[in-house]
Amino acid sequence: MTTATLFVRREVATALRTRWFLIYSAIFLVSGILLVSLGNLNVALYGYRGFAKAFAGLVHLAMLFVPVMALLPATATIAEERESGALEYLLAQPVSFGQVFFGKWAGVSVAVLLALIVGFAAAGAVAVLRGVPPALIITLFGFVILLALAFVALGLCISAIASARAQAVTWGLIAWLALVVLSGLGVLVAFVRWGISERLLVLWTFINPTEAFRIGIVTVLDPDLSLLGPLGASIVERLGAGGTVALTGLTLTAWIVLPGLVGWLVFRRAR
């Protein structure tokens, strides 16, 4: 445990020294406060949906930036050291593969969560002062954490497979582009242009982590479903709000576990 803790601290310290931590923290800090401050949160006049629409902007901001924010450090962590030869030297020391891999996983995760907390806490505080229930802020941040950890696991899996840092980062950006573009707008275009069945679109909604994140959060924010669009509204009508939120949460949890395990298996074999 002591050795694993040292790896975690090493990864956190490395991440905190990079520019991405400050840049993404600043983006969330400024954008989140602006969205919440300028949004219509007058719950006495507009009720629950008054702040639902304001938070919808924050949800879409998270869909765009949180995956990149998690992927960039995660894709670099193993591939960069493999490329420089530092990984071979590290594994020659009296440490286990599990300590190295899971220490890196935990370290990158902690660094990403710190960046999110810095940026999200201020927006959440402003929202609470303007009358938004704290439970809603906690739920929203919980989904943001799941989304971030899912892409950390995906990035770590890519980093374990790639032979060089540039290759890993390129694959990570391609994965981000595919999953974000093929979310809400992408599936609707596919439905209209190619006549894909509704069942396949629903299945893709629960396979794609960014779309699952959007559906889960907006279901919590907007009980009358007007922000979900036709596909999301159809899902909630079938599963109910509670079932939809639970299933989207399970989807994001699966994205944390499965890519991480694949990355671990590849790391053990490929080193």
Side-chain angles (χ1 to χ4, degrees):
M1 288 298 296
T2 302
T3 303
T5 302
L6 290 176
F7 279 112
V8 173
R9 293 176 61 183
R10 175 174 175 266
E11 292 299 321
V12 172
T14 300
L16 295 182
R17 287 196 298 267
T18 58
R19 293 180 180 179
W20 70 264
F21 177 84
L22 296 176
I23 292 172
Y24 285 116
S25 296
I27 289 174
F28 264 83
L29 180 65
V30 175
S31 302
I33 291 177
L34 287 176
L35 284 170
V36 174
S37 300
L38 300 178
N40 193 349
L41 305 183
N42 193 340
V43 295
L45 178 60
Y46 293 98
Y48 190 65
R49 289 188 60 218
F51 52 78
K53 289 188 175 180
F55 268 82
L58 192 58
V59 170
H60 285 86
L61 180 71
M63 285 177 59
L64 289 174
F65 285 101
V66 169
V68 177
M69 181 179 182
L71 277 171
L72 288 180
T75 53
T77 183
I78 295 176
E80 184 175 25
E81 292 189 348
R82 177 183 287 124
E83 182 179 18
S84 66
L87 183 63
E88 183 177 357
Y89 173 79
L90 184 63
L91 293 175
Q93 306 305 311
V95 295
S96 68
F97 293 112
Q99 288 172 330
V100 175
F101 183 84
F102 291 106
K104 287 179 173 294
W105 190 350
V108 174
S109 298
V110 169
V112 170
L113 294 183
L114 286 175
L116 288 174
I117 290 172
V118 170
F120 201 89
V126 172
V128 170
L129 290 175
R130 299 197 63 191
V132 178
L136 183 63
I137 304 296
I138 294 172
T139 302
L140 177 57
F141 189 53
F143 267 88
V144 171
I145 288 175
L146 288 177
L147 182 66
L149 294 180
F151 277 89
V152 167
L154 177 61
L156 207 65
C157 179
I158 292 172
S159 189
I161 297 172
S163 58
R165 183 182 185 277
Q167 183 185 57
V169 172
T170 300
W171 289 355
L173 292 176
I174 291 173
W176 167 78
L177 186 62
L179 292 173
V180 171
V181 170
L182 295 179
S183 58
L185 180 60
V187 295
L188 289 178
V189 170
F191 180 79
V192 173
R193 185 174 179 85
W194 293 296
I196 295 177
S197 68
E198 183 183 351
R199 290 185 179 180
L200 289 177
L201 293 180
V202 171
L203 179 62
W204 174 249
T205 296
F206 289 105
I207 291 177
N208 187 333
T210 58
E211 184 66 4
F213 169 80
R214 186 185 72 85
I215 295 294
I217 282 295
V218 178
T219 301
V220 175
L221 289 174
D222 190 28
D224 69 5
L225 312 183
S226 66
L227 296 176
L228 280 169
L231 180 61
S234 174
I235 292 172
V236 176
E237 286 176 359
R238 294 180 181 182
L239 301 178
T244 301
V245 172
L247 191 54
T248 52
L250 287 175
T251 295
L252 291 171
T253 302
W255 271 91
I256 297 172
V257 176
L258 296 179
L261 291 179
V262 171
W264 159 239
L265 293 175
V266 171
F267 180 71
R268 287 188 62 185
R269 292 183 179 182
R271 312 230 208 305

